[in-house]
């Protein structure tokens, strides 16, 4: 079984087996076995290869962090954060900034992005100008589901207020070619931050604020279905959402 995660990282960075072998001090056949037969290199070699590729070693070879007999839950799982607060905003910004074809954001508010990175609108404009399709779905502050979420998280009317603040942040992007902002009133089971074939999924836990809930980082590899499940979920919400110009 191929190591689809490793192959995807090598392809995105333009790495051949021969080039990676040269940089890590092994023969080309060894790298071919890593990629095509899912062989796991020795820890020292894996660390060097991950550094060259600019990727987390355990994301490339999950078996290095657990007994050899264990198997990864999904080949699409890159990383798991116990809570969103553990995920640096710079990681989200880098993910969105590297997008070439598509950026999808599904949230109620997520105002932490603009608060921590005030250039977010500029980044989205730059990506759109380069041909990237940008779709942002924000919570409708008038929605019963938004109001209920505030009660469940013991946040009162704070959720509605943050939704209105999010609309204020994104409204300057309305009318920008390649960017569309919509509003939805669905029950939000997960917040999604997608960039091409990668997505950050912020799960929502009853009674827990989003920043305390877990996040998993997925990369589409062709060997799993998790990524496509969340991509389809976004599309379903998007199809029923309204343009902010309609509210």
């Amino acid at each position: 079984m191929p190591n689809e995660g490793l192959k995807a990282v090598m392809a995105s960075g333009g790495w051949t087996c021969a080039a990676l072998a040269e940089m890590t001090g092994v023969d080309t056949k060894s790298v071919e076995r890593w990629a095509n037969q899912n062989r796991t290199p020795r820890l020292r070699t894996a660390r060097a290869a991950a550094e060259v590729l600019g990727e987390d070693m355990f994301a490339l070879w999950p078996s290095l962090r657990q007994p050899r007999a264990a198997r990864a839950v999904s080949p699409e799982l890159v990383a798991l954060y116990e809570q969103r607060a553990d995920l640096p905003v710079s990681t989200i910004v880098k993910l969105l900034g590297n997008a070439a074809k598509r950026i999808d954001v599904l949230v109620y508010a997520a105002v932490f992005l603009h608060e921590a990175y005030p250039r977010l609108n500029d980044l989205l404009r730059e990506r759109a100008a380069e041909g990237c399709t940008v779709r942002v779905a924000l919570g409708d502050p008038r929605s019963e589901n938004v109001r209920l979420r505030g009660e469940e998280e013991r946040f009162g009317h704070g959720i509605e207020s943050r939704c209105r603040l999010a609309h204020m942040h994104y409204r300057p992007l309305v009318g920008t070619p390649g960017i569309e902002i919509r509003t939805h009133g669905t029950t939000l089971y997960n917040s999604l931050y997608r960039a091409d074939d990668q997505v950050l999924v912020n799960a929502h836990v009853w009674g827990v604020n989003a920043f305390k809930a877990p996040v998993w980082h997925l990369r589409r590899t062709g060997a799993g279905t998790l990524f496509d499940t969340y991509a389809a979920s976004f599309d379903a919400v998007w199809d029923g959402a309204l343009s902010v110009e309609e509210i």
Side-chain angles (χ1 to χ4, degrees):
M1 179 180 176
N3 185 332
E4 299 292 352
L6 174 61
K7 293 177 72 173
V9 171
M10 290 177 64
S12 65
W15 287 95
T16 64
C17 289
L20 183 57
E22 182 179 355
M23 291 297 293
T24 53
V26 299
D27 59 82
T28 302
K29 288 189 178 297
S30 292
V31 178
E32 291 175 347
R33 286 192 286 269
W34 301 347
N36 299 322
Q37 299 177 29
N38 204 12
R39 296 285 183 84
T40 301
R42 294 180 181 274
L43 182 61
R44 185 174 182 178
T45 304
R47 186 177 292 115
E51 184 175 347
V52 169
L53 294 171
E55 185 59 77
D56 180 77
M57 178 179 70
F58 297 118
L60 297 174
W61 295 287
S63 61
L64 288 173
R65 75 160 89 227
Q66 53 190 318
R68 289 281 177 162
R71 300 182 64 183
V73 174
S74 169
E76 295 188 317
L77 182 62
V78 175
L80 173 64
Y81 300 87
E82 291 189 5
Q83 53 185 9
R84 195 191 71 200
D86 296 333
L87 174 65
V89 172
S90 60
T91 298
I92 304 177
V93 171
K94 181 179 179 181
L95 193 72
L96 300 180
N98 288 336
K101 297 180 179 179
R102 178 179 301 283
I103 290 175
D104 289 337
V105 176
L106 171 63
V107 296
Y108 270 164
V111 294
F112 75 94
L113 281 176
H114 278 95
E115 291 170 350
Y117 189 71
R119 286 198 68 254
L120 181 62
N121 283 5
D122 292 334
L123 183 153
L124 296 178
R125 288 190 187 97
E126 291 164 5
R127 292 294 83 226
E130 293 293 327
C132 188
T133 298
V134 179
R135 300 186 296 177
V136 179
L138 305 172
D140 184 344
R142 306 164 304 176
S143 163
E144 177 63 17
N145 284 320
V146 169
R147 185 198 64 77
L148 183 60
R149 179 61 56 85
E151 289 186 3
E152 293 171 348
E153 296 184 3
R154 294 181 288 278
F155 210 64
H157 295 290
I159 295 290
E160 295 102 305
S161 297
R162 293 178 78 80
C163 285
R164 292 189 178 92
L165 182 57
H167 280 257
M168 184 180 73
H169 283 314
Y170 285 100
R171 189 168 291 279
L173 296 175
V174 173
T176 302
I179 299 178
E180 188 173 1
I181 313 296
R182 293 187 183 182
T183 187
H184 69 97
T186 63
T187 300
L188 190 65
Y189 296 103
N190 302 280
S191 294
L192 305 177
Y193 308 88
R194 176 184 176 181
D196 294 337
D197 287 339
Q198 298 188 65
V199 64
L200 295 168
V201 181
N202 186 184
H204 293 294
V205 181
W206 195 96
V208 176
N209 294 134
F211 72 89
K212 292 183 179 179
V215 173
W216 40 92
H217 180 179
L218 304 175
R219 178 187 285 116
R220 176 190 273 149
T221 64
T225 61
L226 272 177
F227 181 95
D228 288 338
T229 295
Y230 287 108
S233 175
F234 177 93
D235 288 338
V237 174
W238 185 257
D239 287 345
L242 297 174
S243 169
V244 294
E245 296 173 325
E246 299 177 37
I247 63 172

